[in-house]
Amino acid sequence: MSMTAPWSIRIAVTPGGTMVDAKGKVHRISLAEGAVAWLAGEVDAIRARSGEWVPVLGTGNLPIDPTDPAGSASRLEGRFVLVIQHGGRCWVGTDPQGRADVYVSADGSTLATDLSLLENPAGAGYDAVGWAHTLVAYGARPAKRHTLYAGVRRLGVGESVSIEDGQLSSEYRPFVPERTRPLETRSLDEYADRLLDAIQVRGSRNGNVVYLSSGWDSTAILACLVHLFGPRKVRAVIGRMRYAERSGVINQFEIDRARAVADYYGVPLDVAEFDYRTEGPAVLDAVRPMFRDHHLANATGLNHYILARHVAETTNGDETVFAGEISDGAHNLGFSQFVSIFHPTQEFREYADKMAGYLFGPTFLGQLHAGTMEEDAVYQIMRGRMGGAVLDPPAATAAGRTRQLMASLFLRGTRFPLTSLQNVRVLTAEGASRYSEVMEELYLAEAAERATPETLYAWYLHLYNSFHWQGSTVAPLAITGEAFGLRMALPFWDSRLQETLAAMPEQAGRGLDLNPTKYPLKWTLRNRVDYPFHLQVGPHAYLYDVDPSFSHSAEIMYGSSFQGTFTEALKARPHRAVLDPGLFAMDHIDGVVDRYVAGDEVRGAELGDLLNLAFTASVGWYGV
């Protein structure tokens, strides 16, 4: 089956006016006073004045006011791009959480929904900060307002553009953070209500598919779907990961538990093959144009493609496809994968995740502000496992220290308070300084100045929209699904549910209390729906659950059929055409690349440096 962009919008800006070219599944909506709107993507629900969700009954039902376009967009829930022409003014924006992308040329002459619609994206050269984030941070993609190209940027979260007389002006919808509230039964009930609402408004009476793993997130969605729609309207699909002959099936634990959960509910479970022993290059060839046009580069995105292809081949044509992404960050800042400390006892590994997350919470932030962090027992334990990693000294001001903590979470490959960019070998000292200065000022400065202990989690969840949640491990869910004509749903990204999670305190499983990770979710499963808790035992999912030396990255780089593709892509050192040698440590990068091309196997931080570059080079970029 072919995979093509389901919709596109290109806006040409001239002194005489703007021209909107919309193709594919784009709704053209006539508004009052002769105004016209174009809506691309999906709207899942409308926020009523009371704050509740109202079903979407067609585009004519959407509350779009041409005199208040930003306010109109804020009342729509979904993943969409909205363009409104009213008089001589054109307004362009996205959903409030920035799930969709709009690319803007540096001269303001063109706005578009993917890079292929721009004329020569690489014409002005390459953006060093965008490249640095791609190579340094988890997700292998520039942060939300960046691209790989100096002549192209993306609209940020909450940003819209107004065009009048050929001139562009940006507007930002202010972020109003939720304050944490005491953990009470009513707040847990609110979470449960909003989770069920988030799934119901996105679900289909004609059928629902879950990208199933063995974890809490996707199995919880499965439980809620069966609760809401019944087992006959639900099915699931999982991927069998065979990356290399030497390791065999690397997620058999996950498949076995997912099958047991599916059998418990009486729903069918299909198994799609992630067989990269032989099929890696063919899968990469299939996604390359679309991945290049959204600068995506990660094996997880290829898995999303295979799942979407499988569902498209088996669907009745009117199903919603659900995925559990976003949950890890929203509930526990990403520290809920049982990998903070390896130990045979699962409960201890879960508590180690809680300790890692605690170091980014309001209690520890208070100690960082007071200068007493090194007296904290949890800090001492986790710092002892950091080896010789360099830490930065605390900043002189409280806002500066808050900014450092946020940078440690979002701008580092290793997430530990005050981790220094000196540990990052792909950047020179000048490159690290520039990356830090630009990224912190653009993304973190306002949050660090305004955040309080009561609003810290709200700011984290808001910032996640600019970082991991739009990275190469999340964005391909929607992009690949929509390309196959599927309606995708990520209910943990629901804005009302996010507001509830932003108000959850440390005692909701985020701190050192005895409540488990993802406590509100597990409370919902225990109190509001039927859930097989007895099945959530044993190894979590992958071989590394029993063998800490096992590495997904190593299997992909050295044991899979990608090895030949990566070697061919890297052997001519294409990075030298896009990376500034004053900002990037070319000797180190060249050395790692040359060792890989020669057949040597590297591990540790060097493997991470190599993986992001290899995938990015294999997907390709404009200008080379």
Side-chain angles (χ1 to χ4, degrees):
M1 300 180 67
S2 62
M3 188 178 77
T4 58
W7 44 261
S8 67
I9 297 178
R10 183 180 187 274
I11 302 169
V13 181
T14 68
T18 58
M19 183 174 67
V20 179
D21 182 14
K23 295 181 179 178
K25 189 180 176 181
V26 181
H27 301 283
R28 187 180 188 278
I29 308 167
S30 297
L31 304 174
E33 303 178 16
V36 177
W38 289 265
L39 179 72
E42 293 282 353
V43 175
D44 300 316
I46 302 167
R47 190 186 286 257
R49 298 295 181 188
S50 63
E52 302 300 308
W53 287 146
V54 175
V56 177
L57 303 176
T59 56
N61 184 49
L62 299 179
I64 300 176
D65 179 355
T67 66
D68 183 21
S72 300
S74 71
R75 295 185 60 198
L76 304 180
E77 177 74 5
R79 179 181 180 272
F80 59 84
V81 173
L82 180 62
V83 179
I84 300 175
Q85 281 192 328
H86 183 217
R89 181 184 183 221
C90 182
W91 182 93
V92 184
T94 70
D95 58 270
Q97 287 160 294
R99 301 179 183 102
D101 281 318
V102 172
Y103 298 81
V104 186
S105 63
D107 62 3
S109 64
T110 312
L111 295 84
T113 52
D114 73 62
L115 289 164
S116 70
L117 302 173
L118 302 179
E119 184 177 352
N120 191 12
Y126 299 92
D127 187 282
V129 173
W131 274 97
H133 193 75
T134 298
L135 298 180
V136 168
Y138 181 72
R141 195 184 190 206
K144 180 63 178 175
R145 295 167 68 178
H146 280 84
T147 72
L148 298 177
Y149 309 100
V152 185
R153 70 178 187 89
R154 287 186 284 165
L155 293 189
V157 176
E159 181 185 7
S160 58
V161 169
S162 290
I163 308 165
E164 200 161 6
D165 297 328
Q167 300 297 313
L168 277 65
S169 60
S170 288
E171 304 164 353
Y172 287 89
R173 190 168 182 83
F175 174 63
V176 181
E178 299 286 329
R179 297 171 60 88
T180 52
R181 304 189 299 264
L183 186 63
E184 299 174 342
T185 301
R186 64 179 179 178
S187 59
L188 294 168
D189 273 321
E190 178 186 276
Y191 171 94
D193 290 341
R194 290 188 170 186
L195 175 60
L196 289 166
D197 283 350
I199 293 172
Q200 185 159 35
V201 299
R202 292 165 173 81
S204 169
R205 293 288 176 188
N206 296 308
N208 301 278
V209 185
V210 182
Y211 286 176
L212 195 64
S213 73
S214 63
W216 293 99
D217 311 321
S218 62
T219 57
I221 293 173
L222 181 67
C224 292
L225 284 169
V226 171
H227 176 80
L228 292 166
F229 297 98
R232 293 184 179 181
K233 299 298 183 182
V234 184
R235 64 189 180 105
V237 59
I238 192 171
R240 179 167 24 231
M241 298 180 177
R242 288 189 280 202
Y243 288 178
E245 289 287 356
R246 67 189 191 184
S247 53
V249 178
I250 65 177
N251 68 328
Q252 192 62 51
F253 300 133
E254 177 179 59
I255 293 171
D256 292 344
R257 186 185 299 170
R259 187 168 297 284
V261 173
D263 289 346
Y264 177 86
Y265 290 114
V267 303
L269 174 65
D270 291 350
V271 178
E273 299 294 340
F274 301 164
D275 192 349
Y276 297 141
R277 298 171 302 176
T278 58
E279 298 179 4
V283 174
L284 190 57
D285 286 345
V287 303
R288 183 176 284 111
M290 188 167 289
F291 276 33
R292 180 197 60 196
D293 289 338
H294 291 281
H295 35 58
L296 303 171
N298 188 276
T300 301
L302 306 186
N303 295 345
H304 295 160
Y305 162 78
I306 293 172
L307 290 173
R309 181 182 64 188
H310 177 88
V311 173
E313 290 171 346
T314 58
T315 187
N316 63 22
D318 191 19
E319 294 176 299
T320 298
V321 183
F322 285 85
E325 270 287 0
I326 309 301
S327 177
D328 286 334
H331 288 96
N332 282 89
L333 306 182
F335 297 105
S336 48
Q337 293 290 326
F338 296 91
V339 295
S340 296
I341 296 178
F342 177 80
H343 194 276
T345 303
Q346 292 292 103
E347 290 81 2
F348 177 77
R349 293 172 68 169
E350 180 175 1
Y351 199 80
D353 284 344
K354 285 164 60 67
M355 291 194 297
Y358 158 80
L359 294 178
F360 288 91
T363 297
F364 186 78
L365 177 62
Q367 296 187 55
L368 179 59
H369 285 173
T372 60
M373 69 175 189
E374 294 189 6
E375 301 172 13
D376 186 279
V378 173
Y379 174 84
Q380 293 170 2
I381 292 170
M382 304 304 277
R383 177 68 179 99
R385 300 181 60 82
M386 293 287 290
V390 179
L391 302 186
D392 290 326
T397 65
R401 295 183 182 196
T402 301
R403 184 192 289 207
Q404 285 180 304
L405 194 66
M406 291 176 171
S408 302
L409 189 64
F410 294 111
L411 306 182
R412 303 290 186 271
T414 299
R415 301 192 305 165
F416 184 82
L418 305 189
T419 301
S420 177
L421 284 174
Q422 293 180 51
N423 302 297
V424 176
R425 297 186 63 189
V426 298
L427 299 177
T428 64
E430 181 182 352
S433 176
R434 179 172 171 185
Y435 171 64
S436 180
E437 179 181 352
V438 171
M439 294 294 288
E440 290 184 22
E441 186 61 31
L442 194 60
Y443 295 97
L444 306 182
E446 180 190 12
E449 288 288 343
R450 292 179 54 196
T452 66
E454 294 78 21
T455 62
L456 183 62
Y457 287 126
W459 280 105
Y460 281 148
L461 267 59
H462 177 65
L463 289 169
Y464 255 107
N465 293 309
S466 293
F467 294 104
H468 174 54
W469 293 347
Q470 61 83 51
S472 289
T473 59
V474 177
L477 279 165
I479 291 171
T480 58
E482 290 175 347
F484 281 114
L486 304 176
R487 184 173 187 270
M488 302 299 299
L490 279 67
F492 292 109
W493 215 347
D494 179 272
S495 61
R496 293 173 72 239
L497 187 64
Q498 289 272 312
E499 290 166 5
T500 298
L501 282 166
M504 287 285 178
E506 286 183 279
Q507 292 72 29
R510 289 167 164 164
L512 300 181
D513 56 277
L514 293 179
N515 289 329
T517 56
K518 302 181 181 177
Y519 177 64
L521 178 62
K522 294 171 184 176
W523 184 93
T524 299
L525 297 176
R526 193 171 294 281
N527 292 276
R528 300 290 293 275
V529 300
D530 176 31
Y531 188 83
F533 278 87
H534 63 282
L535 296 178
Q536 284 288 2
V537 295
H540 180 58
Y542 307 110
L543 286 181
Y544 65 59
D545 289 316
V546 295
D547 178 6
S549 67
F550 176 80
S551 165
H552 283 77
S553 299
E555 297 308 288
I556 290 172
M557 294 297 297
Y558 299 105
S560 76
S561 55
F562 289 117
Q563 186 172 12
T565 301
F566 291 160
T567 299
E568 187 65 26
L570 291 172
K571 68 181 183 182
R573 295 182 175 180
H575 53 276
R576 283 194 160 269
V578 297
L579 301 182
D580 183 340
L583 304 177
F584 292 88
M586 302 306 289
D587 288 345
H588 167 73
I589 296 172
D590 287 346
V592 174
V593 167
D594 291 348
R595 286 168 59 193
Y596 179 75
V597 171
D600 295 339
E601 186 163 338
V602 301
R603 288 288 184 124
E606 287 189 343
L607 179 58
D609 296 342
L610 184 63
L611 181 68
N612 287 352
L613 181 60
F615 260 113
T616 303
S618 298
V619 169
W621 49 79
Y622 283 94
V624 176

